[in-house]
Amino acid sequence: MNYYNVAKIVNTRGLRGELKVIAYTDFPEERFQAGTELQLFKDANATTPTQAVTVQSAKPFKGMWLIQLAGLDSINEVEKFKGMMLKIAEDQLQELADGEFYQHEIIGLTVIEDGQTLGKVKEILSYGPNDVWVVERPGKKDLLLPYLNDVVLRVDLDKSIVEVAVPEGLD
């Protein structure tokens, strides 16, 4: 089964077992809803979960989220989770609207401009008002493409390509 990153546990808060997490999802309210089952992984690249956990409660907190896991109500029980990843199973993914994509669907796609291959999407950065797609180009430095309608013209998952118009000066 495939698993997808939802959040990274960066620290604990207080003595009652709350965890500070950085959300890697566009749907934190859904992913961190009480009763949701998540899988704990040693790190982002791990493929086998260490254990299943259930969200008891969650709330936004200073650009992050505070999560309380069911049955874990002491800092001593959750301290070992620092640095670990929370992931969901593939069957927990929800259907997206037309024109919306999961990051794992975009990473690895071939980027094309005017019929010329530029490279492949190697990662997606989500730090500002829009995502930035990092395009790995052979023999050149990575190209940082903002995910904007006039830059990313078309995504074709069936053909594994992204058609773009690189703004002048960005290359």
Side-chain angles (χ1 to χ4, degrees):
M1 177 170 299
N2 292 324
Y3 293 91
Y4 299 98
N5 296 336
V6 172
K8 180 174 183 169
I9 301 170
V10 293
N11 211 344
T12 57
R13 179 173 182 266
L15 300 174
R16 296 189 181 134
E18 281 186 309
L19 296 168
K20 288 183 188 178
V21 304
I22 296 173
Y24 286 10
T25 175
D26 287 338
F27 315 107
E29 292 84 4
E30 178 182 315
R31 298 293 179 224
F32 306 144
Q33 186 175 12
T36 301
E37 184 175 291
L38 301 171
Q39 303 293 323
L40 268 170
F41 285 75
K42 182 178 176 176
D43 58 42
N45 298 320
T47 56
T48 306
T50 59
Q51 76 182 75
V53 293
T54 302
V55 176
Q56 179 176 308
S57 65
K59 60 187 172 191
F61 177 77
K62 297 182 180 180
M64 293 186 263
W65 283 79
L66 287 178
I67 296 178
Q68 181 76 49
L69 300 175
L72 301 170
D73 56 5
S74 160
I75 188 171
N76 297 327
E77 294 175 301
V78 298
E79 188 109 45
K80 63 186 174 194
F81 298 152
K82 282 199 270 187
M84 295 180 83
M85 292 295 297
L86 292 167
K87 299 186 181 192
I88 59 167
E90 188 168 31
D91 61 3
Q92 290 176 282
L93 294 176
Q94 66 185 42
E95 288 292 320
L96 297 177
D98 285 343
E100 292 183 345
F101 309 95
Y102 283 108
Q103 287 189 5
H104 69 269
E105 294 176 306
I106 300 301
I107 294 173
L109 295 183
T110 300
V111 178
I112 296 172
E113 181 179 37
D114 296 328
Q116 300 292 322
T117 299
L118 300 179
K120 291 190 179 281
V121 179
K122 78 171 188 180
E123 81 179 289
I124 298 173
L125 307 174
S126 301
Y127 299 122
N130 54 273
D131 289 348
V132 175
W133 294 6
V134 181
V135 179
E136 185 173 36
R137 302 183 294 178
K140 293 183 175 181
K141 67 178 187 171
D142 291 346
L143 175 65
L144 303 177
L145 284 178
Y147 182 64
L148 300 170
N149 290 335
D150 56 342
V151 176
V152 177
L153 305 176
R154 188 171 75 94
V155 175
D156 189 332
L157 295 178
D158 294 330
K159 293 182 181 176
S160 297
I161 62 167
V162 178
E163 293 179 18
V164 300
V166 179
E168 207 172 301
L170 197 58
D171 192 18

